[in-house]
Amino acid sequence: MKKYTWLTLWALFLTTLLFTTSCDSDDVAPMPTVEYKKLAEGNAAGSDIKVELYSTEDLATGYNQLYVALFDAAGKRIEQGSVSLKPQMDMGMMKHAAPVENPVSEQTKNGYFPGAVVFTMPSGEMGSWTLGIQVQANGQTGTFTTPVTIKEPATSRLKSFVSKTDGAKYFVVYLQPQKPKVGVNDIEIAVYKANSMMDYPAVTNLSLVLEPEMPTMGHGSPNNVNPTHAGGGHYKGKANFTMTGLWYLHLTINDATGEAGKLHFEVNF
Amino acid sequence: MKTPLLLGALALAAVPVLAQQKAIPADSVRTIVLQEVAVVTKRHDHQQHLQNFYNANQAATTEELMSRMPELSFIRRGSYGMEPTIRAYSGGQVSVTLDGMRIQGACTDKMDPATIYIEPLNLQRIEVQTAGASSMQGAAIGGSLDMKLAEAELSDERKLSGSVSSGYQSAAHAMLGGLRLSYATPTWGLRASSTYRKAQNYRNGHGEKVLYSQYEKANYALNGKFLLQEDLVLKADLIIDDGWNIGFPALPMDVGQANARIGSVSLVRENSDRRWSRVEARLYANRIAHSMDDSARPDLPVRMDMPGLSRTSGMYLEGTTSPGHHQQLTVRADASASYLSASMTMYQEGQTPMYMLTWPDNRQLQSGIAAQYSFQVGDKTQLQLNSRVNLSDFAITTGEGRSQLSVFGYENTARQFVIPSLSLQASRMVYKKLKASLSGGFNGRTPTASELYGFYLFTQFDGFDYVGNPNMKSEKSLQSEFTLSWQEPRVRLQATGYVSRVQDYIVGTYDPNLSAMTIGARGVKVYDNTPYALLAGAEASAVYNITGYTQLVSTLRYNYGRNADGEPLPMIPPLRSITSLRKYFGDNLWVQGETELAAAQNRNSESFRERPTKAFMLWHLRAGYQRETENKVWQLNTGIENIFDVHYREHLDWGRIARPGRNVFVQVSMGF
């Protein structure tokens, strides 16, 4: 008779155990492993410094993070120096440059001088890109120039518009989110103005209005945060996606005098 | 001659639940019994008449049977999968259990209430408890509905019995097949039953086919009972219910598949000599998989799949004792864990599928302790105290789910609720056979998973997308009920009035800042607590045995509801009455005429875009014939429902879809 009382108690105990041990499955995102791919190497003309150019992705129209490594004649890594990037598009009849972000520090980070170039068009029949890397280190100065191939990405990451307020051409480039998810996403874009064919300064005084839209459904999403200037022409805000699929990130760009232009980026995931 | 009949009888408010234990019946319990009635030699016993009385259309589904109880109404979106409401309380406000087991629907659109997983063939009885008495079952403000499963039997000699039945209904060209086999020995028994139903699109009162009203399902139930000791029984249950191609004419989608697997093991000790005269411990688990499907619908802007999954496991322990003379105490402890997830994937030609979680994966842990104490004070007065403390813990279980909800700025989505409830009922014989009962108390309920975490759940009823709100408070209710009953052998009259004030009434509030997700939706509503709502109403029933061979049963009910602004609540059924007159011709034949009357409902909720509903009156005629041969019982049931082919809809029917027109049904069964 006691046996069944114990049976019941055991059953209760096991159930309780079952309930308390059913833990939440929390998906922990693994740390992404960054792989630097070497794009080019060579000596900086006029010096004995060896220049190596790296990136983590294939170069494409839009914002490209680049990493420059310098070595002295003995093959030793140079940790201190100054690097500036000089992209140039040769279209035969004319040449133009592109917006760049030169390494801000004269000190390497993990052995590299990080910078960025916003390539404004793909390589092709229209013309070809070269990237000049001007280095100054160990009391020497030189430039290494290499041809680079720029692909057009499946989804455009660079937009341009002619401002309604000052008539100048502006480039807007998409940086984040690179891995969009359903939920709140950090958004980052950068804006550059074409002052001339060779001068593309970052624009820091804009106010942006962000409006995500799902074009096939015709709906938006709530609680987005308009990107605001975060330094160097970069603007950061929040974009919310309520489901996967194709989204448009509509941006209205205003300067001090009013609406300068409108454009949208596509996000498809 | 003790052969059991197929399907059983249905009685109204006649059998107090605790009667077997010689306990004190509670007035707030309404029971309909649906057990297999043994045909015994004693004929025309009053009790049996009463039980047989509601044995209306034997091809009916469990939902159709229940809708005849005055306390119950059904929100109808299709001819199958109707959502039960008790006195205009619906959804999370009522506790719907299957033999005390919790089952969470896996459908975000409430297309799979627990009532669909059980067939009249494996149903023993239905217990509806209103107001305070429902505390034993769970934390609810609108009462509880518990469906008791039919059980295997034990018998002194080894015995095999069974039944085969088949039925047809003309309005939907519906076919029904049922099979039951029982095997009984002195120490163990097995009972197996299966039901198959297939219904086409039904015809309404204008003779038009109502598209997408078809359904098909199969239900299998297995129950075993083993006598371990003189007074100790081990029981095991398994129910498999598969529905497919279930149409929902009032919704933009149908159900492709609805599969339920429900199992339990329990130990019951019944011995009146012990201190605890009855003790039951049960472990259970169930899994519901549900997938909505729109492949049958033409011209949709977007095609979508909406699968949902619910898993629940739980236990309860219940004991009854008599702490003193004329006293009875029942104590119950229960706990359950439910895991829900549902998603939606939309497809557009040449595009990435659009995927989102409509129920971000979430779980609810629930535990409670309840007690019911009855005390017979003298000959005429009886007191009953019901109480419960319920603890609930809700949480989103995946980072993906939390990430999705963060879109609304909901950072902390885990919620805990403590819900206390208490009610006291006093009954007294006030004059001759007139008994008066007064009860009052408070209770509450937690928000549902949809109300906490729902993500753009489109509701066809008002055309809005609904978004959950994890910051909501629980809903609390203060209520009171008064019953007068007069009972004598030939006449039984009962009238009940109730009123309740629901504090922090949960309702979706329109948020103009949010844009609707569903194409064609009017906007987005976010669930929130509103100050209060007031619900009131009355039910009355009369059973009159005019002669031993003629019987009259009539029920009447009225519900009223308004919110804090004085606006009528939506989904409030109008005044409604069902009256039946049955006459027996000899021992084997009966004929029953019936009217069903519903008043117009003009108290409609404008803010839910609810529209008024017209009054209607229906006439039904039913007849039964039974023939016993040496070792078989043959039964024929037939009738015509909605004889005059009235074109009507009930107020709780969504989408202004008309109900079936004239329906001729016939069912034959053979029991051995």
Side-chain angles (χ1 to χ4, degrees), chain B residues 171-249:
Chain B
H173 290 300
M175 297 295 299
L176 158 82
L179 182 69
R180 178 185 63 76
L181 280 175
S182 302
Y183 187 68
T185 74
T187 53
W188 60 276
L190 274 178
R191 185 188 195 277
S193 67
S194 66
T195 305
Y196 168 76
R197 292 176 186 275
K198 182 177 173 132
Q200 318 281 342
N201 290 329
Y202 67 80
R203 288 186 176 278
N204 66 21
H206 284 161
E208 301 149 348
K209 276 215 161 144
V210 175
L211 288 179
Y212 319 116
S213 64
Q214 81 291 341
Y215 66 89
E216 194 166 355
K217 73 166 286 192
N219 177 288
Y220 313 92
L222 188 65
N223 172 272
K225 202 179 205 175
F226 311 90
L227 196 66
L228 299 177
Q229 285 172 19
E230 193 79 359
D231 56 356
L232 185 68
V233 170
L234 173 73
K235 289 193 281 192
D237 287 288
L238 177 68
I239 294 175
I240 295 174
D241 188 280
D242 289 331
W244 61 95
N245 190 20
I246 305 169
F248 283 84

Side-chain angles (χ1 to χ4, degrees), chain B residues 579-590:
Chain B
T579 303
S580 327
L581 182 69
R582 174 182 284 198
K583 191 159 171 54
Y584 284 82
F585 297 94
D587 293 335
N588 293 323
L589 176 70
W590 57 263

Side-chain angles (χ1 to χ4, degrees), chain A residues 15 22 25-26 182 219 244 268, chain B residues 283 339 352 355 397 402-403 516:
Chain A
T15 322
S22 49
S25 63
D26 230 320
V182 179
H219 66 75
T244 67
N268 200 356
Chain B
L283 283 174
Y339 291 81
T352 322
Y355 171 82
T397 55
R402 276 188 287 272
S403 164

